[in-house]
Amino acid sequence: MAYSSEDSISIESLVGPMMLDCPIPIAAQGILYAAIEFCERPRCWSNQQSRTVNAGVQNIILSPEDDGLITDVDNVVFAGTKLEPSARDIAEQMRLSNPLGTPWVYYRPNPETLSLAPAPDASGSLSLTMYLAPLRNATTLPRMLFDLYWDAIESGALWRLLKIPNRPWSDPAQAGFYKQEFERVTGSYAARAGKDGTTMPLRTTPNF
């Protein structure tokens, strides 16, 4: 399920005066890639989800409410017990010796799947937080990214656009400035996320 049109904003509409020397599609791509990198670091875009997992089910397909790439998962709780992240080989070895039981670790075999170890021997409630980034073919962004984090995303976009060589808008010196600014502002938001646990309210979706 995508965020609604009221909650989104066209990426091309964000191309501002400082970017107009380059074609709008290229500028829009710079904004998109800056937004992707930004979201991967402070983990600022999140969905919280809960569902019932049946006994014997070890792999859960993740389905965020918003259209986005799942970059990370945290706060995984099954039947009241918080699970710890694990390396895949360790979790799979655990399942070989103990196929069913009370899950206490998880790993992600791919971005859209959460795998529990051991597989639960009884049905229980699973809750977790998914952190998202825009898809690489996105044409819109969640409006909250613009409202709350445009300073970082704009700096990241200008850095990417200005460092492109041999174009009328190329400016390596200015690209270096905006790279430093992107790192500074992104680092500030990441530090705040680490201190507060999250930088924005979670979108919560129950799934049964």
Side-chain angles (χ1 to χ4, degrees):
M1 177 178 178
Y3 42 84
S4 69
S5 59
E6 292 78 12
D7 293 334
S8 66
I9 187 167
S10 164
I11 296 174
E12 289 194 351
S13 73
L14 298 175
V15 177
M18 297 183 70
M19 305 178 193
L20 288 181
D21 287 339
C22 66
I24 287 178
I26 295 177
Q29 186 178 61
I31 293 171
L32 174 60
Y33 287 176
I36 291 171
E37 181 174 352
F38 176 75
C39 287
E40 290 174 344
R41 293 168 65 178
R43 305 198 307 178
C44 60
W45 178 13
S46 55
N47 283 184
Q48 191 173 52
Q49 194 169 90
S50 61
R51 65 175 66 190
T52 297
V53 176
N54 294 326
V57 175
Q58 66 181 37
N59 292 325
I60 296 96
I61 303 301
L62 303 176
S63 53
E65 180 179 2
D66 295 334
D67 281 342
L69 175 67
I70 303 170
T71 62
D72 202 2
V73 172
D74 200 0
N75 303 316
V76 179
V77 177
F78 180 80
T81 299
K82 185 173 182 179
L83 310 188
E84 297 296 328
S86 172
R88 178 173 186 159
D89 57 344
I90 295 174
E92 291 183 345
Q93 183 63 39
M94 181 186 304
R95 280 202 291 255
L96 287 175
S97 59
N98 188 20
L100 293 174
T102 301
W104 60 281
V105 301
Y106 68 90
Y107 71 95
R108 294 168 64 207
N110 58 63
E112 291 78 33
T113 305
L114 188 80
S115 189
L116 308 180
D121 57 3
S123 298
S125 175
L126 177 75
S127 63
L128 54 90
T129 302
M130 292 172 285
Y131 295 96
L132 309 178
L135 298 171
R136 291 192 174 273
N137 61 353
T139 58
T140 64
L141 295 177
R143 183 171 291 276
M144 66 85 188
L145 291 180
F146 172 74
D147 291 340
L148 300 178
Y149 308 114
W150 178 240
D151 52 346
I153 295 170
E154 182 181 40
S155 295
L158 288 169
W159 159 39
R160 283 163 175 76
L161 296 172
L162 293 169
K163 74 175 182 178
I164 299 174
N166 304 319
R167 300 295 178 92
W169 63 85
S170 301
D171 191 329
Q174 280 291 91
F177 168 79
Y178 283 111
K179 182 180 188 298
Q180 291 181 349
E181 187 66 8
F182 176 74
E183 296 291 345
R184 182 188 68 80
V185 178
T186 301
S188 175
Y189 284 124
R192 186 189 309 175
K195 180 178 179 180
D196 299 340
T198 183
T199 55
M200 63 165 293
L202 298 175
R203 186 192 294 268
T204 305
T205 307
N207 284 294
F208 304 99

